Amino acid sequence: MEPPAATTEGPPMGAGADAQHADAIDEYGIPIIPDPADAASRKRQAIIDAALAEFLAEGYSAASMDAITRGSGVSKATIYKHFGSKERLFLAVIGGVLPKTYADLEPSNSTIADAPDLRAALVRLTTDWARILLRPDIMKLRRLVIGEIDRFPQLGQLWYRVSYDMNNGPLVEAFTELNARGVLDAPDPALAVQQLVAATVGVPQLVRTFSPDAEIDDAELTRVISSGVDLFLARYARS
């Protein structure tokens, strides 16, 4: 996958030699930025923090490198030295943040296969998912990636892979085991997981994605999640 075409907001004169690393990308098309050391790493983090705030507030196109420069407290030349271009800065910053959005969810899947009360465990798991994924910071990131998906499809692919590896994948393994033990009738565990997520977490997430000010209190979240789990078990639980 090739990185997006460059815009007119490129590095200043003389920065090209310092940005020769700018061609390196990972399997998702996210820039591979070598780690700096000591003082340089503090400058790098200041740039990342300022860029993330600017991109979340303005989107990619309207985001200003001048504003990122002011927010980071470093020179524009330093920003281009570290990241090469506005495109690579955006990809590196957003691509670096995405894996962290699901980090709090990863361990909880491992207990599902051994839960004494599967319904209660699924309600608890999907409620935890929903509360984390409905956080304002994560919802802003989600809207940003959706809004830029045509320009930066690699971010959408990365988001899908991260969410699968950290959440869906372990749950697929649990459902595979539960199917083998006769607890669930789920010959296609991956589809079963997708349907569970769609019927539970997916409902409030869809509402909040397109209606940021929508109120979803604990009572409503519990009602939606519990109903979704019951719908899932009505299809997949063995009697």
Side-chain angles (χ1 to χ4, degrees):
M1 180 180 302
E2 295 297 327
T7 68
T8 57
E9 195 164 1
M13 295 296 293
D18 291 320
Q20 290 303 312
H21 61 269
D23 291 334
I25 58 175
D26 67 12
E27 61 184 305
Y28 301 106
I30 306 302
I32 300 173
I33 309 294
D35 289 332
D38 304 327
S41 66
R42 293 194 293 273
K43 291 181 180 180
R44 167 79 62 80
Q45 191 58 51
I47 295 167
I48 290 172
D49 292 344
L52 179 60
E54 178 70 4
F55 288 133
L56 288 175
E58 303 295 339
Y60 172 77
S61 296
S64 164
M65 292 298 286
D66 288 334
I68 294 172
T69 298
R70 291 192 299 271
S72 64
V74 303
S75 69
K76 189 179 292 188
T78 298
I79 294 177
Y80 285 115
K81 178 179 179 180
H82 280 276
F83 293 95
S85 67
K86 180 181 178 182
E87 292 88 347
R88 289 182 63 80
L89 175 62
F90 180 79
L91 284 169
V93 169
I94 304 305
V97 168
L98 284 180
K100 300 174 184 177
T101 63
Y102 290 89
D104 293 337
L105 302 175
E106 188 175 8
S108 54
N109 285 325
S110 60
T111 63
I112 292 297
D114 299 320
D117 184 336
L118 180 59
R119 180 186 183 276
L122 289 175
V123 168
R124 183 168 55 253
L125 171 67
T126 51
T127 300
D128 288 344
W129 282 20
R131 285 179 174 151
I132 292 172
L133 296 179
L134 292 178
R135 283 182 356 212
D137 59 327
I138 295 179
M139 291 307 303
K140 284 183 179 180
L141 187 62
R142 177 181 174 84
R143 293 186 203 101
L144 176 62
V145 171
I146 291 173
E148 300 295 344
I149 200 74
D150 290 335
R151 189 195 304 266
F152 298 107
Q154 55 269 63
L155 289 178
Q157 294 170 10
L158 174 61
W159 191 304
Y160 179 83
R161 175 48 54 190
V162 167
S163 66
Y164 184 89
D165 287 347
M166 288 190 173
N167 299 286
N168 292 38
L171 198 52
V172 168
E173 294 179 5
F175 284 4
T176 299
E177 181 177 342
L178 290 170
N179 180 73
R181 284 165 32 196
V183 177
L184 293 179
D185 179 15
D188 188 343
L191 176 61
V193 170
Q194 290 177 335
Q195 292 173 335
L196 173 66
V197 173
T200 55
V201 177
V203 177
Q205 186 181 57
L206 182 64
V207 171
R208 189 64 65 76
T209 296
F210 297 104
S211 184
D213 297 327
E215 292 292 336
I216 304 176
D217 59 23
D218 283 346
E220 177 63 9
L221 187 62
T222 298
R223 185 183 75 84
V224 170
I225 295 292
S226 298
S227 178
V229 170
D230 288 339
L231 181 65
F232 171 82
L233 291 175
R235 163 60 182 86
Y236 286 108
R238 290 185 186 271
S239 56

Short mmCIF file of all heavy atoms in Angstrom, two decimals, residues 150-185:
data_model
loop_
_atom_site.label_atom_id
_atom_site.label_comp_id
_atom_site.label_asym_id
_atom_site.label_seq_id
_atom_site.Cartn_x
_atom_site.Cartn_y
_atom_site.Cartn_z
N ASP A 150 -11.26 7.73 3.11
CA ASP A 150 -10.96 7.73 1.68
C ASP A 150 -9.53 8.18 1.41
O ASP A 150 -8.87 7.66 0.51
CB ASP A 150 -11.94 8.63 0.93
CG ASP A 150 -13.35 8.06 0.88
OD1 ASP A 150 -13.48 6.83 0.98
OD2 ASP A 150 -14.31 8.84 0.76
N ARG A 151 -9.05 9.14 2.17
CA ARG A 151 -7.69 9.65 1.99
C ARG A 151 -6.66 8.70 2.59
O ARG A 151 -5.57 8.51 2.05
CB ARG A 151 -7.55 11.03 2.64
CG ARG A 151 -6.24 11.73 2.32
CD ARG A 151 -6.01 12.90 3.26
NE ARG A 151 -7.09 13.87 3.25
CZ ARG A 151 -7.12 14.96 2.49
NH1 ARG A 151 -6.13 15.22 1.66
NH2 ARG A 151 -8.15 15.79 2.57
N PHE A 152 -7.01 8.11 3.76
CA PHE A 152 -6.06 7.25 4.47
C PHE A 152 -6.71 5.90 4.79
O PHE A 152 -7.00 5.60 5.95
CB PHE A 152 -5.61 7.92 5.77
CG PHE A 152 -4.89 9.23 5.58
CD1 PHE A 152 -5.50 10.44 5.90
CD2 PHE A 152 -3.60 9.26 5.08
CE1 PHE A 152 -4.85 11.64 5.73
CE2 PHE A 152 -2.93 10.46 4.90
CZ PHE A 152 -3.55 11.65 5.22
N PRO A 153 -6.96 5.06 3.78
CA PRO A 153 -7.61 3.77 4.04
C PRO A 153 -6.80 2.87 4.96
O PRO A 153 -7.37 1.99 5.63
CB PRO A 153 -7.75 3.16 2.64
CG PRO A 153 -6.71 3.85 1.81
CD PRO A 153 -6.62 5.23 2.36
N GLN A 154 -5.49 3.10 5.03
CA GLN A 154 -4.66 2.25 5.89
C GLN A 154 -5.02 2.40 7.36
O GLN A 154 -4.85 1.47 8.15
CB GLN A 154 -3.17 2.53 5.66
CG GLN A 154 -2.71 3.97 5.83
CD GLN A 154 -2.76 4.74 4.54
OE1 GLN A 154 -3.82 4.92 3.99
NE2 GLN A 154 -1.61 5.23 4.09
N LEU A 155 -5.53 3.56 7.74
CA LEU A 155 -5.95 3.73 9.13
C LEU A 155 -7.18 2.89 9.44
O LEU A 155 -7.31 2.32 10.53
CB LEU A 155 -6.23 5.20 9.44
CG LEU A 155 -4.99 6.11 9.50
CD1 LEU A 155 -5.42 7.56 9.75
CD2 LEU A 155 -4.02 5.64 10.58
N GLY A 156 -8.10 2.81 8.49
CA GLY A 156 -9.28 1.96 8.68
C GLY A 156 -8.88 0.50 8.78
O GLY A 156 -9.42 -0.24 9.61
N GLN A 157 -7.94 0.08 7.95
CA GLN A 157 -7.49 -1.30 8.01
C GLN A 157 -6.78 -1.60 9.33
O GLN A 157 -6.95 -2.67 9.92
CB GLN A 157 -6.57 -1.59 6.83
CG GLN A 157 -7.27 -1.52 5.49
CD GLN A 157 -6.32 -1.56 4.31
OE1 GLN A 157 -5.13 -1.82 4.47
NE2 GLN A 157 -6.84 -1.29 3.12
N LEU A 158 -5.99 -0.64 9.79
CA LEU A 158 -5.31 -0.81 11.07
C LEU A 158 -6.32 -0.89 12.20
O LEU A 158 -6.20 -1.74 13.09
CB LEU A 158 -4.34 0.34 11.31
CG LEU A 158 -3.66 0.36 12.69
CD1 LEU A 158 -2.82 -0.91 12.90
CD2 LEU A 158 -2.79 1.61 12.86
N TRP A 159 -7.32 -0.01 12.19
CA TRP A 159 -8.34 -0.03 13.25
C TRP A 159 -9.04 -1.38 13.28
O TRP A 159 -9.25 -1.97 14.35
CB TRP A 159 -9.36 1.09 13.01
CG TRP A 159 -10.28 1.32 14.17
CD1 TRP A 159 -11.09 0.41 14.80
CD2 TRP A 159 -10.48 2.55 14.89
NE1 TRP A 159 -11.78 0.98 15.83
CE2 TRP A 159 -11.42 2.29 15.90
CE3 TRP A 159 -9.96 3.83 14.74
CZ2 TRP A 159 -11.86 3.29 16.77
CZ3 TRP A 159 -10.40 4.82 15.60
CH2 TRP A 159 -11.33 4.55 16.61
N TYR A 160 -9.41 -1.90 12.11
CA TYR A 160 -10.09 -3.20 12.04
C TYR A 160 -9.20 -4.29 12.61
O TYR A 160 -9.64 -5.13 13.40
CB TYR A 160 -10.47 -3.51 10.60
CG TYR A 160 -11.16 -4.85 10.46
CD1 TYR A 160 -12.53 -4.97 10.70
CD2 TYR A 160 -10.45 -6.00 10.13
CE1 TYR A 160 -13.16 -6.20 10.59
CE2 TYR A 160 -11.07 -7.24 10.01
CZ TYR A 160 -12.43 -7.32 10.25
OH TYR A 160 -13.05 -8.54 10.16
N ARG A 161 -7.92 -4.30 12.21
CA ARG A 161 -7.02 -5.35 12.67
C ARG A 161 -6.77 -5.27 14.17
O ARG A 161 -6.76 -6.28 14.86
CB ARG A 161 -5.70 -5.26 11.90
CG ARG A 161 -4.61 -6.24 12.36
CD ARG A 161 -5.11 -7.65 12.50
NE ARG A 161 -5.75 -8.15 11.30
CZ ARG A 161 -6.42 -9.29 11.23
NH1 ARG A 161 -6.57 -10.04 12.32
NH2 ARG A 161 -6.98 -9.67 10.10
N VAL A 162 -6.57 -4.06 14.68
CA VAL A 162 -6.33 -3.90 16.11
C VAL A 162 -7.55 -4.36 16.91
O VAL A 162 -7.42 -5.07 17.92
CB VAL A 162 -5.99 -2.43 16.44
CG1 VAL A 162 -6.05 -2.18 17.94
CG2 VAL A 162 -4.60 -2.10 15.93
N SER A 163 -8.75 -3.95 16.48
CA SER A 163 -9.96 -4.33 17.21
C SER A 163 -10.16 -5.83 17.17
O SER A 163 -10.60 -6.45 18.15
CB SER A 163 -11.18 -3.61 16.64
OG SER A 163 -11.45 -4.03 15.32
N TYR A 164 -9.81 -6.46 16.04
CA TYR A 164 -9.95 -7.91 15.95
C TYR A 164 -8.94 -8.61 16.84
O TYR A 164 -9.30 -9.51 17.62
CB TYR A 164 -9.78 -8.39 14.51
CG TYR A 164 -10.04 -9.88 14.38
CD1 TYR A 164 -11.33 -10.36 14.14
CD2 TYR A 164 -9.02 -10.81 14.57
CE1 TYR A 164 -11.58 -11.72 14.06
CE2 TYR A 164 -9.26 -12.17 14.49
CZ TYR A 164 -10.55 -12.62 14.24
OH TYR A 164 -10.79 -13.97 14.19
N ASP A 165 -7.69 -8.22 16.75
CA ASP A 165 -6.64 -8.91 17.51
C ASP A 165 -6.85 -8.78 19.01
O ASP A 165 -6.61 -9.74 19.76
CB ASP A 165 -5.27 -8.34 17.14
CG ASP A 165 -4.81 -8.77 15.76
OD1 ASP A 165 -5.42 -9.69 15.20
OD2 ASP A 165 -3.84 -8.19 15.25
N MET A 166 -7.28 -7.61 19.47
CA MET A 166 -7.38 -7.38 20.91
C MET A 166 -8.73 -7.79 21.49
O MET A 166 -8.83 -8.05 22.69
CB MET A 166 -7.13 -5.90 21.23
CG MET A 166 -5.69 -5.48 21.07
SD MET A 166 -5.37 -3.83 21.73
CE MET A 166 -3.59 -3.73 21.58
N ASN A 167 -9.77 -7.85 20.65
CA ASN A 167 -11.10 -8.11 21.19
C ASN A 167 -11.80 -9.27 20.50
O ASN A 167 -12.07 -10.29 21.11
CB ASN A 167 -11.94 -6.85 21.09
CG ASN A 167 -11.34 -5.71 21.87
OD1 ASN A 167 -11.39 -5.69 23.08
ND2 ASN A 167 -10.73 -4.76 21.18
N ASN A 168 -12.11 -9.13 19.23
CA ASN A 168 -12.85 -10.17 18.55
C ASN A 168 -12.10 -11.49 18.51
O ASN A 168 -12.70 -12.56 18.73
CB ASN A 168 -13.18 -9.73 17.12
CG ASN A 168 -14.18 -8.59 17.07
OD1 ASN A 168 -14.12 -7.70 17.91
ND2 ASN A 168 -15.07 -8.60 16.09
N GLY A 169 -10.80 -11.45 18.23
CA GLY A 169 -10.03 -12.68 18.12
C GLY A 169 -10.10 -13.57 19.36
O GLY A 169 -10.44 -14.76 19.27
N PRO A 170 -9.80 -13.02 20.56
CA PRO A 170 -9.90 -13.84 21.77
C PRO A 170 -11.32 -14.35 22.02
O PRO A 170 -11.50 -15.46 22.52
CB PRO A 170 -9.46 -12.88 22.88
CG PRO A 170 -8.57 -11.91 22.19
CD PRO A 170 -9.17 -11.72 20.83
N LEU A 171 -12.33 -13.55 21.66
CA LEU A 171 -13.71 -13.98 21.86
C LEU A 171 -14.07 -15.09 20.88
O LEU A 171 -14.82 -16.01 21.22
CB LEU A 171 -14.66 -12.80 21.71
CG LEU A 171 -16.07 -12.96 22.30
CD1 LEU A 171 -16.02 -13.41 23.75
CD2 LEU A 171 -16.85 -11.65 22.17
N VAL A 172 -13.53 -15.03 19.67
CA VAL A 172 -13.72 -16.13 18.71
C VAL A 172 -13.15 -17.43 19.29
O VAL A 172 -13.77 -18.49 19.18
CB VAL A 172 -13.06 -15.80 17.36
CG1 VAL A 172 -12.99 -17.04 16.47
CG2 VAL A 172 -13.82 -14.69 16.64
N GLU A 173 -11.99 -17.34 19.91
CA GLU A 173 -11.39 -18.53 20.52
C GLU A 173 -12.28 -19.08 21.63
O GLU A 173 -12.47 -20.29 21.76
CB GLU A 173 -10.01 -18.19 21.07
CG GLU A 173 -8.98 -17.84 20.00
CD GLU A 173 -7.63 -17.48 20.60
OE1 GLU A 173 -7.47 -17.59 21.84
OE2 GLU A 173 -6.73 -17.09 19.83
N ALA A 174 -12.84 -18.17 22.45
CA ALA A 174 -13.72 -18.61 23.53
C ALA A 174 -14.97 -19.27 22.98
O ALA A 174 -15.41 -20.32 23.49
CB ALA A 174 -14.08 -17.41 24.41
N PHE A 175 -15.56 -18.69 21.94
CA PHE A 175 -16.77 -19.26 21.35
C PHE A 175 -16.48 -20.59 20.67
O PHE A 175 -17.33 -21.49 20.65
CB PHE A 175 -17.39 -18.28 20.36
CG PHE A 175 -18.13 -17.14 21.01
CD1 PHE A 175 -18.14 -16.97 22.38
CD2 PHE A 175 -18.81 -16.21 20.23
CE1 PHE A 175 -18.81 -15.92 22.98
CE2 PHE A 175 -19.51 -15.15 20.81
CZ PHE A 175 -19.50 -15.00 22.20
N THR A 176 -15.29 -20.72 20.10
CA THR A 176 -14.90 -22.00 19.50
C THR A 176 -14.86 -23.09 20.56
O THR A 176 -15.35 -24.21 20.35
CB THR A 176 -13.51 -21.88 18.83
OG1 THR A 176 -13.58 -20.89 17.80
CG2 THR A 176 -13.07 -23.20 18.24
N GLU A 177 -14.30 -22.76 21.72
CA GLU A 177 -14.25 -23.73 22.82
C GLU A 177 -15.65 -24.04 23.34
O GLU A 177 -15.99 -25.21 23.60
CB GLU A 177 -13.38 -23.19 23.95
CG GLU A 177 -13.26 -24.15 25.13
CD GLU A 177 -12.34 -23.64 26.22
OE1 GLU A 177 -11.53 -22.72 25.94
OE2 GLU A 177 -12.42 -24.15 27.36
N LEU A 178 -16.47 -23.02 23.51
CA LEU A 178 -17.84 -23.23 24.01
C LEU A 178 -18.67 -24.04 23.01
O LEU A 178 -19.52 -24.84 23.41
CB LEU A 178 -18.50 -21.88 24.28
CG LEU A 178 -17.94 -21.12 25.48
CD1 LEU A 178 -18.51 -19.69 25.52
CD2 LEU A 178 -18.25 -21.84 26.79
N ASN A 179 -18.42 -23.87 21.74
CA ASN A 179 -19.11 -24.67 20.73
C ASN A 179 -18.68 -26.13 20.82
O ASN A 179 -19.52 -27.04 20.75
CB ASN A 179 -18.81 -24.12 19.33
CG ASN A 179 -19.49 -24.91 18.24
OD1 ASN A 179 -20.71 -24.82 18.05
ND2 ASN A 179 -18.73 -25.69 17.48
N ALA A 180 -17.38 -26.35 21.00
CA ALA A 180 -16.87 -27.72 21.11
C ALA A 180 -17.40 -28.43 22.34
O ALA A 180 -17.62 -29.65 22.32
CB ALA A 180 -15.33 -27.70 21.13
N ARG A 181 -17.63 -27.68 23.42
CA ARG A 181 -18.15 -28.26 24.66
C ARG A 181 -19.66 -28.38 24.66
O ARG A 181 -20.25 -28.90 25.60
CB ARG A 181 -17.70 -27.40 25.83
CG ARG A 181 -16.23 -27.64 26.18
CD ARG A 181 -15.63 -26.60 27.08
NE ARG A 181 -16.54 -25.99 28.04
CZ ARG A 181 -16.29 -24.86 28.69
NH1 ARG A 181 -15.15 -24.20 28.45
NH2 ARG A 181 -17.13 -24.37 29.55
N GLY A 182 -20.31 -27.88 23.62
CA GLY A 182 -21.76 -27.99 23.54
C GLY A 182 -22.52 -26.93 24.29
O GLY A 182 -23.73 -27.04 24.47
N VAL A 183 -21.82 -25.90 24.75
CA VAL A 183 -22.50 -24.80 25.45
C VAL A 183 -23.18 -23.88 24.45
O VAL A 183 -24.29 -23.40 24.67
CB VAL A 183 -21.50 -24.02 26.32
CG1 VAL A 183 -22.18 -22.84 27.00
CG2 VAL A 183 -20.87 -24.95 27.36
N LEU A 184 -22.49 -23.62 23.34
CA LEU A 184 -23.05 -22.83 22.26
C LEU A 184 -23.18 -23.68 21.01
O LEU A 184 -22.41 -24.63 20.80
CB LEU A 184 -22.14 -21.63 21.94
CG LEU A 184 -22.00 -20.53 22.99
CD1 LEU A 184 -21.04 -19.46 22.49
CD2 LEU A 184 -23.35 -19.91 23.35
N ASP A 185 -24.14 -23.33 20.18
CA ASP A 185 -24.26 -23.92 18.85
C ASP A 185 -23.79 -22.85 17.87
O ASP A 185 -24.59 -22.14 17.25
CB ASP A 185 -25.71 -24.31 18.58
CG ASP A 185 -25.89 -24.92 17.19
OD1 ASP A 185 -24.89 -25.28 16.57
OD2 ASP A 185 -27.05 -25.01 16.73
#
